[in-house]
Amino acid sequence: MADIKADETVDITDVVCPVTFVKAKVALDELDEGQILSIKLNDGEPVQNVPRSMKEEGHKVLKLDDNGDGTYQLYVEKVGE
């Protein structure tokens, strides 16, 4: 799979659950359908919960990359409401 080009990037490594998902969702809400949000998140709870929550909201989780420093990069495609 080619590198995914994100339309917008949000860093949620400075917040904890459940604010992580809220912050990511707000950033995703700003995008148009079909656009891609790159979310930088911490290992542990965020990396378990945020992708699952995005799927539950009906969005498409494209890829999760390990940055190798205790953080991950999650790519989510916005699916229209």
Side-chain angles (χ1 to χ4, degrees):
M1 189 171 178
D3 276 346
I4 297 167
K5 189 189 172 308
D7 295 289
E8 201 60 57
T9 302
V10 64
D11 184 343
I12 58 171
T13 56
D14 58 340
V15 291
V16 293
C17 289
V19 184
T20 45
F21 175 61
V22 173
K23 204 168 170 184
K25 184 170 163 28
V26 167
L28 196 62
D29 285 345
E30 302 287 305
L31 298 182
D32 294 323
E33 183 175 355
Q35 286 191 305
I36 294 167
L37 177 66
S38 166
I39 306 161
K40 185 177 183 184
L41 38 81
N42 289 320
D43 199 359
E45 259 191 287
V47 88
Q48 290 164 10
N49 296 337
V50 175
R52 189 180 65 228
S53 299
M54 286 293 176
K55 278 184 187 150
E56 283 168 4
E57 291 276 316
H59 301 295
K60 203 162 153 191
V61 173
L62 303 175
K63 194 175 174 192
L64 182 65
D65 280 341
D66 187 338
N67 292 327
D69 60 359
T71 68
Y72 287 81
Q73 211 69 35
L74 175 69
Y75 296 91
V76 179
E77 183 180 327
K78 180 170 181 175
V79 175
E81 280 101 40

